[in-house]
Amino acid sequence: MTTADDASTYVTFDQAYQLASNGSKNSIHVVGELKKDAEGHVVGITPGEDRVSFSFIMVDENQKEQLVIYKEPMPQDFTRSEKVVVIGSYSGDTFIAEKILLKCPSKYQEQKLNV
């Protein structure tokens, strides 16, 4: 038997912060997009001092921007992803991701043939 507190669901950053404030020790899943500028370029990516980890700005479904720190190397195609799922918890006002899942554009999109 599991309870709602045991299950991890997709939440916004505000909901994730509330869960952490209430003492939840579970990993929290937040879905969003990388912050981009007017030209569509990803902004806010900063290498960590150890040159392996990095941080970035993510925007959740409520348009809340949040600094996320990931203590592993940047996943391949990270900046090309359409959606990002961060799994982790809050430490103060910062979301610390233990895992990152990506939804990237398809490599197999239909191409127009010139005949």
Side-chain angles (χ1 to χ4, degrees):
M1 178 187 283
T2 62
T3 64
D5 200 35
D6 295 330
S8 188
T9 59
Y10 295 96
V11 297
T12 65
F13 282 120
D14 287 335
Q15 292 167 325
Y17 188 80
Q18 187 65 37
L19 286 168
S21 296
N22 290 337
S24 175
K25 301 293 183 200
N26 293 336
S27 292
I28 301 165
H29 294 63
V30 181
V31 177
E33 299 176 358
L34 299 175
K35 183 176 180 179
K36 297 182 180 176
D37 64 16
E39 288 83 39
H41 299 106
V42 176
V43 297
I45 295 176
T46 307
E49 291 180 14
D50 60 8
R51 305 224 184 265
V52 174
S53 62
F54 71 105
S55 62
F56 58 96
I57 305 292
M58 188 170 130
V59 183
D60 71 12
E61 62 186 30
N62 288 343
Q63 304 308 306
K64 178 181 171 110
E65 295 181 8
Q66 175 63 56
L67 176 66
V68 177
I69 295 176
Y70 186 55
K71 296 182 180 181
E72 299 290 332
M74 185 182 298
Q76 183 176 353
D77 293 331
F78 179 74
T79 59
R80 296 182 53 220
S81 65
E82 291 176 354
K83 293 281 186 186
V84 177
V85 177
V86 290
I87 303 168
S89 60
Y90 270 92
S91 176
D93 291 336
T94 304
F95 192 89
I96 308 297
E98 300 163 359
K99 192 172 189 179
I100 296 176
L101 306 175
L102 306 175
K103 177 170 180 359
C104 294
S106 175
K107 295 179 184 178
Y108 306 103
Q109 293 177 352
E110 187 175 324
Q111 295 181 3
K112 192 174 184 180
L113 298 175
N114 294 326
V115 263

